[in-house]
Amino acid sequence: MPLEIRQFPCLSDNYGFLVKDAETGETATIDTPDAAVIIAAAEHAGWPVTQIWNTHHHYDHAGGNADVAARFNAKIVAPASEARRIPDIDTPVREGDVVELGASRARVYETPGHTTGHVVYHFEDDGVAFVGDTLFALGCGRLFEGDPAQMWSSLSKLRAWPDDTVIYCAHEYTQSNARFALSVDPTNEALQSYAAEVEAKRADDKPTVPTILSAELAANPFLRADDPGLQHAMGHDGDVVATFGEIRRRKDVFK
Ligand code: ZN
Ligand code: FE
């Protein structure tokens, strides 16, 4: 039985996600960027939220936990290594754990870099993943608590998933990410056409999330640090981590 997914804007540029296991009706919210908006969406859909799955401790991801948990008596699933920063976790998760949503299952990957304990959830049988602030459409999370080697290793786990995996990122950052990506990889034709699609969608007020892994592998510079042309352009031939670090550094100062 498939998953049913509802996606809606929260705060200034976050997305909220409700995921329902169609067989049992059990529903999770992926993170809690805005408790009031999530509760309203769940009530409107008639999907009581029984689980909260956190990706990391930031306020725009776990800040609504207490209110959502109180409203639905929902259990909190969250990274074990962020237990000091996410209160009242019911199910702490680690690399390789499998979490159940009714009859559906998701595998947990630890993806440190944005925060030390960030995790992502991959519904392997459904080909769907919720990646928080680790991977964005044409971008990746800022390295608040990690270094380039760590983040590249985290992103490499996602790169190994099936090409057609549907990727749900936590923010609508794609338009500015596209402009940056073109600045470091201007001759990439896959990126040029992806960027044109993004401009058209945003002009129409449409979301650019979810994305497909294959599109990111072809166009997202943060997944292409092993590309010889990009390595050369960044001045780090043969060095994937230095190339990744240089792309990330340039993004941090890009205007
Ligand atoms: Zn974050
Ligand atoms: Fe965030």
Side-chain angles (χ1 to χ4, degrees):
M1 289 281 276
L3 295 172
E4 292 177 35
I5 298 168
R6 295 277 167 93
Q7 173 178 328
F8 43 90
C10 285
L11 307 177
S12 58
D13 51 31
N14 283 74
Y15 285 119
F17 305 105
L18 295 175
V19 186
K20 183 173 89 165
D21 169 57
E23 191 172 327
T24 61
E26 189 156 354
T27 299
T29 176
I30 308 299
D31 286 326
T32 55
D34 186 328
V37 172
I38 292 163
I39 289 168
E43 288 176 342
H44 181 76
W47 298 2
V49 173
T50 51
Q51 299 190 37
I52 295 165
W53 291 9
N54 287 131
T55 60
H56 63 297
H57 69 86
H58 285 160
Y59 183 77
D60 63 314
H61 296 263
N65 279 15
D67 287 348
V68 174
R71 170 65 185 80
F72 297 106
N73 196 25
K75 299 287 179 229
I76 299 174
V77 175
S81 67
E82 297 199 347
R84 279 181 297 109
R85 301 190 285 184
I86 302 176
D88 303 324
I89 300 176
D90 296 288
T91 307
V93 291
R94 295 183 174 75
E95 176 81 13
D97 284 356
V98 172
V99 284
E100 295 184 358
L101 181 69
S104 297
R105 282 171 176 67
R107 186 174 299 277
V108 175
Y109 291 76
E110 292 177 348
T111 57
H114 179 68
T115 66
T116 55
H118 197 296
V119 299
V120 302
Y121 299 94
H122 182 205
F123 287 91
E124 292 170 339
D125 294 343
D126 306 273
V128 166
F130 293 89
V131 300
D133 288 355
T134 291
L135 179 65
F136 295 125
L138 295 181
C140 78
R142 273 182 190 262
L143 303 186
F144 288 122
E145 300 176 10
D147 63 21
Q150 208 172 24
M151 191 60 153
W152 176 254
S153 153
S154 294
L155 290 170
S156 296
K157 296 178 183 179
L158 280 56
R159 275 168 36 115
W161 290 344
D163 266 16
D164 58 354
T165 305
V166 181
I167 305 280
Y168 288 86
C169 327
H171 290 270
E172 180 62 61
Y173 288 156
T174 318
Q175 200 166 28
S176 57
N177 286 345
R179 289 174 189 151
F180 169 73
L182 284 166
S183 79
V184 289
D185 198 11
T187 61
N188 181 335
E189 288 175 14
L191 171 58
Q192 290 164 2
S193 55
Y194 186 148
E197 273 174 47
V198 167
E199 292 294 330
K201 279 184 184 162
R202 295 311 292 154
D204 237 2
D205 231 358
K206 293 203 176 104
T208 64
V209 173
T211 179
I212 305 291
L213 183 58
S214 57
E216 300 307 319
L217 291 171
N220 185 330
F222 295 98
L223 294 185
R224 288 170 36 75
D226 60 342
D227 177 78
L230 202 46
Q231 290 184 344
H232 190 71
M234 294 301 107
H236 293 288
D237 290 297
D239 190 334
V240 64
V241 169
T243 301
F244 178 81
E246 176 61 13
I247 299 169
R248 188 59 256 178
R249 188 193 68 74
R250 290 190 188 193
K251 177 68 168 72
D252 290 343
V253 297
F254 185 72
K255 296 244 180 353

